[in-house]
Amino acid sequence: MSQVVIETLFYITAGIALIGALLTVTRYNAVHALLYLVITMMAISLIFFLLGASFAAALQIIVYAGAIMVLFVFVTMMLHQGEITIKQESMLFRPGRSIGVTFLSVILFAETLYLLSPLADATFTTTGAQINHIGAKEIGLQLFGPYLILVEVSALLLLTALIGAFHLGRRHQEQSL
Amino acid sequence: MILEQPMIIEQIMIPEQAMLFFSLALFSIGVFGVLVRRNLLFILISIEIMLNAVAVLFVAASSYHNNSDGQIMYLLVLTLAASEAAVGLGLVIQMYRRMHTLDVDQLSSMKE
């Protein structure tokens, strides 16, 4: 029974992720596209959770839905500077525009609520079923054991990206050209 | 003496085909976005979707084999996505400052 429950949850979540991704690449307004992208990221995070990868699920929320999306939203805001009037503002924040996002996120919220509720817990304990769970401890042991060089390469990659982004973002470059 | 019954633990698995199809569909949507959109910002967003599709596949493989190597590759993909977003958005800002548009078809100064 719990197999059916997990599969159903997976199909709903995968549908939300695919709808979100499809709406992301077809929107005209960049802010709407980013809203749907956040929904896609959260749906993927729930899929990681269903796969038993709770650490990856947390990282997906923190890094993708948090850090990278803030970067995108910030750049979108910078590019639209100066042309934002009160009229545009009222058009952008009309509740009717966000009804799709709201609908998809409410489904995701309900699924997560069900997974965390005692109802789902009872289903799993009575059948004795379990998901392959790989937590933060195993990943940490691997990461600082055989994969130590990978951590250092990642640090170098991030430092390179930092220097590159700083260099590209400087303003006085446009006067020299 | 009562023989202890070995506890049968049922392994819950999302079907591999469904997971592969989901990852492929997400990747295809990303490719569609890169090919169809001409706005540089939307191209970057589509690349993020493609990277996510690959990350889903890595984590799924890690779960099916009960091995944490896939999640370590996921961490690397995450680092790559963060770096790519930072550099790509820097390029978006520079392009907007110079061209005052984000249409990639306008970037044709090397033809002239």
Side-chain angles (χ1 to χ4, degrees):
Chain A
M1 185 211 164
S2 50
Q3 169 83 39
V4 178
V5 171
I6 289 286
E7 269 187 47
T8 314
L9 284 175
F10 167 72
Y11 288 130
I12 298 172
T13 316
I16 290 173
L18 290 180
I19 291 170
L22 210 55
L23 289 173
T24 303
V25 297
T26 50
R27 289 306 92 183
Y28 293 126
N29 192 327
V31 178
H32 295 171
L34 288 172
L35 272 177
Y36 281 112
L37 189 59
V38 170
I39 290 292
T40 309
M41 299 300 175
M42 290 200 293
I44 289 172
S45 167
L46 188 54
I47 285 176
F48 287 170
F49 189 60
L50 290 175
L51 281 168
S54 51
F55 184 58
L59 274 183
Q60 178 82 12
I61 291 283
I62 294 168
V63 178
Y64 264 116
I68 295 180
M69 281 311 107
V70 165
L71 219 60
F72 271 100
V73 170
F74 201 60
V75 167
T76 313
M77 275 162 54
M78 274 177 75
L79 298 186
H80 286 277
Q81 204 175 29
E83 58 182 20
I84 296 176
T85 60
I86 294 173
K87 195 184 165 196
Q88 273 181 328
E89 192 83 6
S90 68
M91 202 186 74
L92 280 176
F93 287 102
R94 208 158 54 192
R97 286 289 174 89
S98 59
I99 198 149
V101 173
T102 314
F103 178 64
L104 292 178
S105 59
V106 162
I107 297 177
L108 273 182
F109 175 70
E111 278 184 65
T112 316
L113 208 63
Y114 170 71
L115 277 173
L116 295 175
S117 70
L119 196 69
D121 214 29
T123 317
F124 292 133
T125 45
T126 48
T127 53
Q130 67 168 23
I131 303 173
N132 278 341
H133 184 260
I134 300 170
K137 191 183 170 191
E138 286 89 346
I139 297 169
L141 282 173
Q142 288 271 314
L143 212 54
F144 290 98
Y147 286 104
L148 191 58
I149 192 85
L150 198 67
V151 177
E152 288 168 12
V153 170
S154 303
L156 270 179
L157 180 69
L158 284 173
L159 179 66
T160 318
L162 178 70
I163 295 170
F166 175 69
H167 180 71
L168 283 170
R170 276 191 307 181
R171 185 170 278 279
H172 66 80
Q173 257 187 340
E174 82 187 302
Q175 275 126 30
S176 66
L177 281 173
Chain B
M1 187 150 179
I2 304 161
L3 276 174
E4 206 168 306
Q5 196 83 356
M7 197 174 146
I8 299 159
I9 296 176
E10 180 202 344
Q11 213 62 32
I12 297 177
M13 280 291 175
I14 298 164
E16 284 95 340
Q17 284 101 339
M19 196 52 98
L20 278 173
F21 175 78
F22 170 63
S23 178
L24 180 67
L26 209 58
F27 193 83
S28 309
I29 291 172
V31 172
F32 169 79
V34 169
L35 294 179
V36 169
R37 300 304 294 246
R38 292 191 309 177
N39 189 322
L40 191 57
L41 194 66
F42 280 92
I43 291 176
L44 275 179
I45 289 171
S46 304
I47 290 173
E48 291 293 330
I49 293 176
M50 284 157 73
L51 280 172
N52 258 284
V54 176
V56 167
L57 210 53
F58 269 125
V59 174
S62 150
S63 174
Y64 290 141
H65 295 287
N66 203 4
N67 189 344
S68 61
D69 288 355
Q71 292 198 36
I72 286 162
M73 282 310 291
Y74 167 71
L75 282 180
L76 196 66
V77 171
L78 207 66
T79 317
L80 187 72
S83 315
E84 175 259 328
V87 175
L89 289 171
L91 285 171
V92 167
I93 291 173
Q94 274 303 319
M95 183 180 172
Y96 192 75
R97 275 189 196 147
R98 290 175 190 216
M99 321 281 297
H100 296 287
T101 175
L102 287 178
D103 187 358
V104 288
D105 286 357
Q106 301 284 316
L107 290 174
S108 56
S109 55
M110 279 178 94
K111 269 199 303 199
E112 289 140 21

